[in-house]
Each structure stands twice: as structure tokens, then as C-alpha cells.
Amino acid sequence: METTGRLGERGVAAAAQGMPADARRSVDGYLMAGFPWYGLDEAFTGPRWLMQVGAAADGIVEYGSTGHGEEPSLRVETDMDQQRFTVVVTVASRPGRDSADGTGKLEATSVSSAAWLAGSGLLSCTWPTRMERALRQDWLDQQTAIAWELADDLEGESWSQLSLPVDGVPTGFHYRESEYGWVLAGTAGEDVHIGAYGRGMSAYGLGFAVVKDITRYDS
């Protein structure tokens, strides 16, 4: 999970620094992936939008996120409690393997990888904008470490079990709530792990499905 975690940290940092919309929304990276993307199923009729993909050093796409509902904003004037969104994170299922430069090993991805990316993703769009700038990084570092520890302990008491449909099939997920929103993670077949996070939209009524046309999100 270590390599995926580092990719996730870059995603959090980019979001916290205000990644340009065109960089976030480019569909090109999604089209390069060798695995299926997941999003909310057709029961969700609201807005859909792209976020970002993460790639390994050799350029192979490892994960990415699709957004649903209202795009979260970190502007000071935005009322966090009024935001309603769900983000679905798709993580390629990878075995342990050599790194692209041959200098080390990449750990296998797992449900914990999806839980980590979902937890850090939630932090990236809910961190307290009214906090003094000097304290923000310390807060983010602390909360990121907690998210990492929780992702590594999916059988711990911080998580409960939740069954949701994936392509119409009931599937078990690890689920937890916090003051910032909720996070869940599970596996969809042999190809990918799914993570998700949200705020203002209940996770209990959601369903996931393969995205048949990712360009549908590129609006």
C-alpha cells in the first residue's frame, strides 16, 4: 500500500493547493487506464464530473476518481455543511512487483489502498479553511496519518460493515463516518478495488456500476 499512499498524498497536496480545473478534468488519463472505472449507478441522476488520475513512475494509471453531485469547494465563504457530493475512487488491483526503475518493489494494492485514497480524498476537500494558515499543514499531516492508520486496520472498531450493490450484485464494504463525512472501501471483482467518500449524501442508498462512457463525466 505504500506506493499508492504516496500517490494519494500528492493528490491531497494538489487539491489543497487548488489544482487547476483543466488539470483535474482532463479525460485523457482516464482513457489510458487498463481497468474499468466505477461511478454511481443510473439511480443517481445529478451532475457527474471528473477529478484526477494517479499514475506510477512508468506512467501506468493506478487509480482515479469520479465525482457526483455538487463539486466541493474550499472557499472560505462556502458552508461545508451545505455541500452534497459523493466521490468514487477506482484503484487497479495490482500484485507486488518491481518498480519501473528496477531499484525497489511496489507493494500490492488492496482494499486498504482504496480506503486510504478515499480517506485522504475526503480530507482534501473538507479541511478547515478558517484555520490559520500556519496551522493548516500540521492539521492536514495529523489527519492524514490518522487516515493511514485507519486504512491499515479495516477490521478495527472504527469500521462497520455495509452492503451496497456493485453492478447490481450486493457487495460488502468497510464503512466509517466522521465529522467531515463518510468513507467506504471494498472490492469489485478481480480487476479493481472501490473506495468512496462523501458529505451531505447518505452512503446507505448508493449503488456502484462500471462507467460505460467516461467522457460522459467530461463536461
Side-chain angles (χ1 to χ4, degrees):
M1 199 172 82
E2 182 180 355
T3 299
T4 304
R6 287 199 296 268
L7 288 170
E9 287 176 316
R10 286 206 296 271
V12 172
Q17 294 168 8
M19 179 181 290
D22 56 351
R24 286 193 299 111
R25 292 175 178 275
S26 174
V27 74
D28 295 344
Y30 292 83
L31 296 174
M32 293 171 60
F35 54 88
W37 295 107
Y38 274 80
L40 295 186
D41 61 20
E42 293 302 320
F44 176 78
T45 59
R48 297 173 183 253
W49 28 276
L50 295 178
M51 295 189 69
Q52 61 198 35
V53 300
D58 56 6
I60 295 177
V61 175
E62 299 284 353
Y63 74 93
S65 303
T66 55
H68 309 77
E70 302 169 2
E71 293 191 58
S73 173
L74 289 175
R75 293 180 179 177
V76 174
E77 66 271 17
T78 300
D79 186 348
M80 292 288 185
D81 291 332
Q82 299 301 313
Q83 297 192 61
R84 299 181 68 256
F85 64 88
T86 293
V87 173
V88 180
V89 184
T90 306
V91 183
S93 179
R94 307 284 197 207
R97 59 210 186 277
D98 293 330
S99 62
D101 58 10
T103 59
K105 295 284 187 179
L106 302 182
E107 295 186 9
T109 57
S110 65
V111 177
S112 288
S113 306
W116 153 246
L117 287 170
S120 59
L122 180 64
L123 288 175
S124 75
C125 57
T126 57
W127 54 285
T129 55
R130 291 179 173 82
M131 181 181 293
E132 291 184 23
R133 185 176 297 275
L135 299 177
R136 289 178 185 174
Q137 190 59 51
D138 288 341
W139 179 91
L140 187 59
D141 289 344
Q142 178 189 56
Q143 295 300 317
T144 297
I146 292 173
W148 177 267
E149 292 173 1
L150 288 170
D152 252 354
D153 186 25
L154 293 178
E155 303 304 324
E157 61 182 15
S158 297
W159 298 88
S160 60
Q161 298 298 308
L162 180 62
S163 180
L164 296 172
V166 177
D167 294 322
V169 178
T171 303
F173 287 90
H174 300 275
Y175 174 79
R176 68 177 177 88
E177 295 181 358
S178 73
E179 61 182 299
Y180 308 111
W182 53 263
V183 172
L184 60 79
T187 294
E190 299 180 355
D191 295 327
V192 300
H193 306 291
I194 294 177
Y197 61 92
R199 187 181 178 102
M201 293 174 62
S202 173
Y204 288 87
L206 301 180
F208 304 101
V210 169
V211 177
K212 297 179 180 178
D213 181 9
I214 193 64
T215 61
R216 173 184 179 188
Y217 284 77
D218 189 27
S219 59

